[in-house]
């Protein structure tokens, strides 16, 4: 059989060499790299060590070496900082190193504060206590059912039916008070463990015959917890019972450790607890992937299309093709959450497209992919192009490939890309993707759900651009419409999400949570606008945020950001002109704003000077720009239709 | 078999206590290893359980007075397993 890739033989021998590197040798590699001050390679080897041999011992090693690297770099590691506090009714200390090592694998430098044993109520109430002084980004409320609902858990058989209902109600009421009090003191995200069901209910099988049994009432408490959480921004429940069930209650629990060390979770599952917390921490810290780039042969289907042909590749409802259908179903789920799919495969384009378009077993089709790179070029080059085409940073990409050589090569060339380690057995592919926290989302906006279609329209737009003589002709043809609205309940989640995720066209890169945005919107001198953009090809959805703050003489632009999908088409000019006009209408003399440079926001660097702003001051963090409003000539381009609250109500000002 | 168990236990202890494994002997104990306090003892127990797939009883844990005793205990648990 012809070998489609003449290099594959030499590649696979280096794969074996990689696979043979023993975790213990990796440790000495890391120490040598640290001694040589090769920090990037040391971090990569630490990541490899953790993915190869995760556990308590490795976690201690990884953390101690990261501390060394942090010191050597003067606290300038390329990691996102995040602070989490854990309030608890059981021993969590042994989980903390696992959590920090796992966070590191997601590029997060996690600081952890653990509340005292069983003092979670005091911790929440004491507005000046150690919890709030720590100023966490997120707080986990990890209380076990035996503590949160002692009557239901221990004394259920003693309770008359009415008393049992009352007991459940009291539990719900306590949580409602704790959460409400917490929100008064802190805007941090709150992750509440819901209650597990008893593995052996006090009345045996009889318990399940009524909704008012022990399990039934605990289920009721959990339903109420979900309702309470939904009533607050940034409060989420962690389905603890589902977590325990996923791993099996009898394996999850360790009664001996519970009685001797107040540690209820068996040694083998402490990492699973840490990983469940990461499913919240990763999206909260913005380290999520926006695009999943998949390989084709032996990843999306079994076999090699160029060798096995349409009849030979495995993709069907039966084994072994079923494993690949399970992965494809997972991809469709991700796509529904707004995660874009792309293909990067070494293949002949025609072979691959035939399978993608016509193979009867395929659940995903070419239309589900926002970008395709099917060629014989180096994968890291293709990934760079995909990021460019989709207007995202490399750190927004996740990469799925069955070939460990390709994975290692991408890791080395593009350390920003999340590389998912596919297990050897294809039956485990789907769960490997589902278990990765980079695809978790805590809220879902309608934009997220429509994203794939929006990118399809964008492909057409890019085609149209090439047929016009001048940019202005193209802009007129686009028939762009931008709509500015004050932030509302409906748009709050998306607005906060944009401040968290937008890196490139973002003048100040200030990250805000939903509660913080809601708080700002209440202040009369603050204006928080959401920006929607439409054009003849389709609706881009809510793609921008502007936040302004009126002072006596001037109006300051606190935040101005737009998704890269819509910049460069003068929408940004129209919006800035609107901010200037409305500030002038409110009697302000100047519009001022900071540009705070980051590694990624170069596209926004010249935005103020290009629009006639003068530099007023500059310091180590950035430069401040000002526009004199009475003499300003800034105006919205006539090819953009601007829709605002004023224009809708017929111009009340 | 005993030698490899000892090696493995020594590597785990090296990670947990932050001491290079050459410095750890069968006689190493809370008296000779600075970081070996009660919390790190629990971490050592958990790392041993996780690595060797065993569950230690409170009585066993009390016997873990030095690294040699830990290795001997792991050997005993593993040979007792069916």
């Amino acid at each position: 059989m012809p070998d489609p890739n003449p290099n594959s033989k030499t590649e696979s021998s280096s794969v074996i060499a990689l696979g043979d590197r023993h975790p213990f040798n990796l440790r000495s590699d890391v120490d040598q790299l640290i001694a040589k001050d090769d920090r990037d390679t040391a971090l990569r080897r630490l990541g490899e060590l953790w993915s190869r041999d995760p556990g308590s011992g490795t976690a201690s090693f990884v953390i101690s070496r990261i501390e060394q690297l942090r010191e050597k770099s003067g606290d300038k590691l390329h990691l996102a900082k995040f602070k989490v506090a854990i309030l608890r009714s059981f021993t969590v200390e042994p989980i903390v190193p696992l959590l920090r090592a796992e966070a590191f694998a997601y590029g997060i430098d996690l600081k952890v504060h653990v509340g005292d044993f069983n003092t979670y109520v005091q911790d929440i109430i004491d507005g000046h206590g150690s919890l709030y002084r720590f100023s966490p980004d997120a707080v986990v409320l990890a209380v076990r059912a035996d503590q949160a609902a002692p009557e239901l858990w221990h004394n259920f058989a003693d309770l008359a039916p009415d008393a049992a209902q009352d007991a459940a109600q009291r539990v719900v009421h306590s949580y409602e008070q704790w959460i409400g009090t917490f929100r008064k003191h802190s805007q941090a995200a709150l992750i509440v463990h819901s209650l597990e069901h008893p593995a052996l209910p006090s009345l045996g099988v009889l318990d399940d015959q009524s909704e008012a049994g022990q399990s039934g009432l605990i289920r009721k408490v959990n339903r109420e917890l979900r309702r309470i959480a939904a009533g607050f921004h940034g409060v989420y429940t962690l389905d603890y019972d589902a977590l325990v069930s996923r791993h099996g209650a009898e394996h999850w629990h360790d009664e001996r450790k519970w009685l001797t060390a107040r540690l209820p979770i068996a040694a083998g599952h402490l990492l699973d607890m840490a990983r469940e917390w990461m499913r919240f921490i990763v999206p909260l810290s913005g380290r999520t992937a926006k695009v999943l780039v998949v390989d084709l042969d032996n990843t999306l289907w079994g076999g090699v299309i160029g060798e096995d042909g349409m009849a030979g590749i495995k993709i069907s409802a039966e084994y072994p093709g079923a494993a690949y259908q399970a992965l494809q179903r997972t991809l469709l789920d991700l796509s529904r959450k707004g995660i874009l799919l792309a293909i990067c495969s070494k293949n002949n384009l025609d072979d691959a497209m035939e399978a993608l378009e016509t193979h009867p077993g395929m659940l995903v089709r070419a239309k589900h992919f926002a970008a395709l790179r099917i060629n014989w070029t180096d994968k890291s080059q293709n990934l760079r192009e995909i990021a460019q085409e989709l207007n995202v940073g490399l750190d927004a990409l996740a990469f799925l490939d069955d070939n460990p050589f390709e994975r290692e090569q991408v890791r080395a060339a593009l350390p920003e890309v999340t590389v998912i380690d596919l297990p050897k057995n294809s039956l485990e592919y789907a769960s490997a993707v589902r278990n990765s926290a980079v695809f978790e989302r805590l809220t879902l906006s309608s934009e997220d759900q429509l994203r794939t279609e929006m990118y399809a329209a964008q492909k057409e737009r890019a085609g149209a651009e090439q047929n016009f003589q001048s940019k202005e002709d193209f802009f007129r043809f686009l028939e762009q419409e931008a709509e500015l609205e004050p932030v509302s309940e409906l748009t709050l989640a998306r607005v906060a999400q944009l401040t968290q995720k937008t890196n490139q066209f973002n003048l100040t890169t200030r990250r805000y949570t939903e509660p913080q945005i809601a708080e700002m919107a209440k202040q009369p001198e603050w204006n928080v606008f959401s920006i929607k953009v439409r054009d003849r090809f389709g609706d881009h959805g809510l793609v921008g945020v502007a936040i302004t703050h009126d002072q006596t003489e001037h109006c300051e632009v606190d935040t101005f950001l737009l998704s890269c999908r819509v910049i460069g088409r003068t929408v940004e000019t129209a919006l800035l002109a609107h901010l200037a006009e409305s500030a002038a209408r409110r009697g302000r003399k100047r519009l001022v704003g900071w540009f705070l440079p980051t590694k990624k926001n170069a596209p926004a660097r010249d935005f103020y000077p290009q629009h006639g702003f003068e530099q007023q001051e500059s310091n180590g963090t950035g430069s401040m720009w000002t526009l004199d409003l009475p003499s300003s000539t800034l105006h919205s381009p006539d090819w953009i239709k601007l829709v605002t609250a004023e224009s809708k109500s017929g111009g009340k000002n | 078999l005993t030698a490899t168990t000892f090696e493995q236990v020594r590597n785990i202890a090296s990670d947990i206590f932050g001491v290079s494994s050459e410095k750890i002997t069968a006689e190493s104990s809370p008296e000779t290893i600075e970081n070996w306090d009660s919390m790190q003892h629990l971490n050592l127990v958990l790392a041993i359980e996780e690595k060797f797939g065993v569950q230690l009883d409170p009585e066993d844990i009390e016997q873990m007075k030095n690294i040699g005793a830990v290795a001997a205990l792991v050997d005993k648990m593993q040979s007792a397993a069916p």
Side-chain angles (χ1 to χ4, degrees):
Chain A
M1 231 173 281
D3 185 348
N5 182 350
N7 292 325
S8 67
K9 290 229 166 55
T10 45
E11 286 176 2
S12 54
S13 58
S14 57
V15 171
I16 291 165
L18 279 172
D20 276 358
R21 201 185 287 134
H22 191 275
F24 192 68
N25 299 335
L26 269 171
R27 284 170 166 77
S28 48
D29 280 5
V30 168
D31 282 335
Q32 282 166 19
L33 289 163
I34 294 176
K36 279 194 291 187
D37 208 23
D38 185 352
R39 295 197 287 266
D40 288 340
T41 319
L43 280 174
R44 207 163 67 239
R45 289 282 165 268
L46 276 172
E48 191 183 340
L49 170 63
W50 179 249
S51 81
R52 198 83 69 72
D53 183 28
S56 299
T58 309
S60 301
F61 179 87
V62 167
I63 288 163
S64 77
R65 296 319 185 266
I66 287 175
E67 296 302 341
Q68 289 179 12
L69 287 166
R70 187 210 308 281
E71 228 164 82
K72 285 201 157 202
S73 70
D75 202 12
K76 289 217 166 57
L77 296 178
H78 295 313
L79 300 171
K81 290 186 189 258
F82 197 81
K83 293 203 278 185
V84 66
I86 303 168
L87 309 182
R88 46 58 183 272
S89 73
F90 57 91
T91 301
V92 299
E93 283 79 351
I95 310 176
V96 171
L98 295 164
L99 180 66
R100 292 188 60 203
E102 185 73 9
F104 157 71
Y106 285 100
I108 301 167
D109 183 2
L110 192 69
K111 247 195 187 162
V112 183
H113 166 89
V114 178
D116 283 339
F117 191 80
N118 261 341
T119 63
Y120 50 93
V121 181
Q122 294 96 299
D123 294 342
I124 288 171
I125 292 172
D126 182 2
H128 304 287
S130 59
L131 168 64
Y132 301 116
R133 282 204 308 274
F134 176 67
S135 58
D137 298 300
V139 175
V140 177
L141 181 57
V143 180
R144 272 170 40 100
D146 70 315
Q147 265 289 325
E151 293 172 286
L152 295 180
W153 194 259
H154 292 300
N155 310 327
F156 189 78
D158 290 342
L159 296 176
D162 283 355
Q165 292 282 359
D166 289 348
Q169 208 47 52
R170 278 196 295 279
V171 177
V172 172
H173 188 63
S174 305
Y175 271 100
E176 201 155 22
Q177 282 187 320
W178 300 339
I179 294 170
T181 308
F182 175 79
R183 249 306 157 260
K184 275 192 208 128
H185 293 304
S186 171
Q187 304 296 330
L190 180 66
I191 300 144
V192 182
H193 280 211
S194 58
L195 306 183
E196 67 180 298
H197 308 165
L200 296 168
S202 72
L203 296 180
V205 292
L206 181 59
D207 188 74
D208 200 44
Q209 310 313 312
S210 154
E211 265 298 304
Q214 193 179 21
S215 294
L217 286 175
I218 284 178
R219 271 197 296 272
K220 182 179 168 187
V221 169
N222 287 341
R223 270 198 308 275
E224 291 289 297
L225 278 181
R226 238 172 275 134
R227 177 188 60 78
I228 295 166
F232 291 89
H233 290 294
V235 178
Y236 313 98
T237 55
L238 181 156
D239 190 343
Y240 190 75
D241 189 66
L243 172 65
V244 173
S245 304
R246 206 184 311 148
H247 298 283
E250 291 186 5
H251 296 281
W252 181 268
H253 294 121
D254 182 343
E255 192 66 14
R256 286 175 279 201
K257 292 285 179 314
W258 170 241
L259 295 173
T260 54
R262 293 288 139 191
L263 177 66
I265 306 169
H269 291 298
L270 296 172
L271 181 58
D272 295 313
M273 185 69 254
R275 286 181 169 159
E276 199 67 10
W277 288 336
M278 286 313 295
R279 288 168 169 253
F280 293 82
I281 291 171
V282 168
L284 285 169
S285 65
R287 301 292 295 190
T288 51
K290 297 173 189 169
V291 185
L292 174 58
V293 185
V294 298
D295 171 45
L296 294 177
D297 292 330
N298 284 316
T299 301
L300 203 60
W301 53 67
V304 177
I305 184 73
E307 294 177 17
D308 304 329
M310 286 285 278
I313 59 168
K314 297 172 190 77
I315 175 74
S316 69
E318 280 81 42
Y319 181 83
Y324 300 93
Q325 279 200 344
L327 177 66
Q328 296 196 1
R329 229 169 259 124
T330 306
L331 299 186
L332 290 173
D333 282 344
L334 296 188
S335 168
R336 263 172 231 129
K337 283 202 288 188
I339 293 151
L340 294 172
L341 304 175
I343 290 174
C344 176
S345 165
K346 289 183 176 167
N347 247 314
N348 291 322
L349 182 63
D350 293 345
D351 296 344
M353 289 309 283
E354 190 188 1
L356 275 170
E357 296 287 20
T358 63
H359 197 289
M362 293 285 289
L363 305 180
V364 291
R365 295 290 180 194
K367 67 168 182 184
H368 291 109
F369 295 94
L372 305 174
R373 286 294 179 284
I374 301 170
N375 52 43
W376 297 98
T377 312
D378 170 60
K379 292 222 173 182
S380 43
Q381 177 56 30
N382 277 324
L383 288 173
R384 268 193 215 103
E385 287 181 23
I386 288 172
Q388 222 162 38
E389 181 178 334
L390 299 177
N391 266 328
V392 297
L394 279 166
D395 60 357
L397 300 188
F399 177 61
L400 194 70
D401 197 310
D402 65 298
N403 183 338
F405 172 80
E406 300 285 7
R407 298 203 296 260
E408 179 61 18
Q409 214 217 11
V410 167
R411 267 201 191 99
L414 308 173
E416 305 94 326
V417 173
T418 302
V419 177
I420 294 174
D421 273 312
L422 270 187
K424 289 207 172 70
N425 185 344
S426 58
L427 285 171
E428 295 164 17
Y429 282 6
S431 58
V433 174
R434 288 191 194 273
N435 278 325
S436 176
V438 296
F439 304 120
E440 291 294 351
R441 298 290 188 267
L442 290 169
T443 49
L444 206 54
S445 57
S446 43
E447 279 76 16
D448 289 330
Q449 287 157 302
L450 287 174
R451 184 157 304 130
T452 302
E453 286 142 54
M454 293 193 289
Y455 272 89
Q458 175 142 358
K459 274 191 199 159
E460 271 182 63
R461 252 175 236 124
E465 186 164 7
Q466 289 160 3
N467 300 328
F468 285 92
Q469 300 291 325
S470 76
K471 281 263 172 194
E472 290 189 10
D473 284 348
F474 175 62
F475 294 146
R476 276 181 217 290
F477 167 78
L478 271 182
E479 297 174 359
Q480 298 179 93
E481 211 176 290
E483 182 173 352
L484 258 96
E485 269 183 339
V487 67
S488 68
E489 279 291 306
L490 290 176
T491 54
L492 186 57
R494 172 67 177 164
V495 165
Q497 188 191 44
L498 280 172
T499 71
Q500 295 285 342
K501 293 201 321 193
T502 309
N503 295 320
Q504 300 186 68
F505 195 85
N506 192 339
L507 287 156
T508 53
T509 320
R510 292 184 177 134
R511 311 295 196 195
Y512 293 118
T513 61
E514 288 180 38
Q516 286 171 329
I517 298 275
E519 191 52 39
M520 263 188 261
K522 276 193 226 151
Q523 313 298 327
E525 68 279 12
W526 287 82
N527 281 301
V528 182
F529 294 110
S530 65
I531 297 153
K532 289 181 185 156
V533 177
R534 291 179 284 274
D535 64 32
R536 69 181 300 145
F537 291 109
D539 195 339
H540 290 278
L542 206 170
V543 286
V545 176
I547 302 177
T548 64
H549 182 196
D550 279 345
Q551 317 273 358
T552 341
E553 287 281 298
H554 66 267
C555 171
E556 178 171 349
V557 179
D558 175 272
T559 294
F560 192 103
L561 63 88
L562 275 174
S563 159
C564 270
R565 299 204 297 271
V566 298
I567 63 166
R569 305 212 184 98
T570 69
V571 173
E572 57 273 34
T573 303
L575 297 171
L576 189 64
H578 176 75
L579 293 184
E581 281 161 24
S582 63
R585 267 205 307 277
R586 293 193 305 271
R588 300 300 179 279
K589 304 272 186 300
R590 280 167 289 125
L591 186 65
V592 306
W594 282 91
F595 172 69
L596 306 176
T598 66
K599 260 179 77 183
K600 301 209 177 129
N601 70 352
R605 190 181 51 214
D606 298 324
F607 182 61
Y608 283 134
Q610 276 167 358
H611 290 88
F613 282 60
E614 304 278 344
Q615 184 165 333
Q616 193 176 339
E617 62 170 290
S618 122
N619 60 28
T621 55
S623 49
M624 194 195 207
W625 298 80
T626 183
L627 180 73
D628 182 50
L629 291 174
S631 65
S632 160
T633 55
L634 181 60
H635 63 273
S636 176
D638 62 4
W639 50 77
I640 291 187
K641 186 176 168 205
L642 203 60
V643 183
T644 61
E646 291 96 332
S647 67
K648 268 184 177 172
S649 64
K652 64 183 173 189
N653 287 320
Chain B
L1 188 88
T2 315
T4 51
T5 306
F6 176 73
E7 288 295 312
Q8 283 176 282
V9 169
R10 189 161 80 158
N11 289 342
I12 292 170
S14 158
D15 277 348
I16 298 280
F17 301 129
V19 177
S20 80
S21 52
E22 303 91 72
K23 292 197 181 137
I24 296 175
T25 66
E27 283 72 43
S28 294
S29 70
E31 277 74 48
T32 62
I33 294 181
E34 194 188 346
N35 285 338
W36 193 333
D37 58 15
S38 61
M39 190 47 81
Q40 294 305 337
H41 190 71
L42 176 58
N43 282 333
L44 177 67
V45 169
L46 293 166
I48 296 281
E49 291 188 335
E50 170 198 271
K51 202 63 162 189
F52 296 100
V54 295
Q55 281 206 339
L56 303 174
D57 282 321
E59 294 76 13
D60 298 330
I61 293 169
E62 264 178 43
Q63 286 173 23
M64 294 169 50
K65 297 202 188 301
N66 60 41
I67 296 296
V70 177
L73 181 65
V74 171
D75 265 346
K76 193 187 82 184
M77 302 269 320
Q78 285 193 321
S79 58

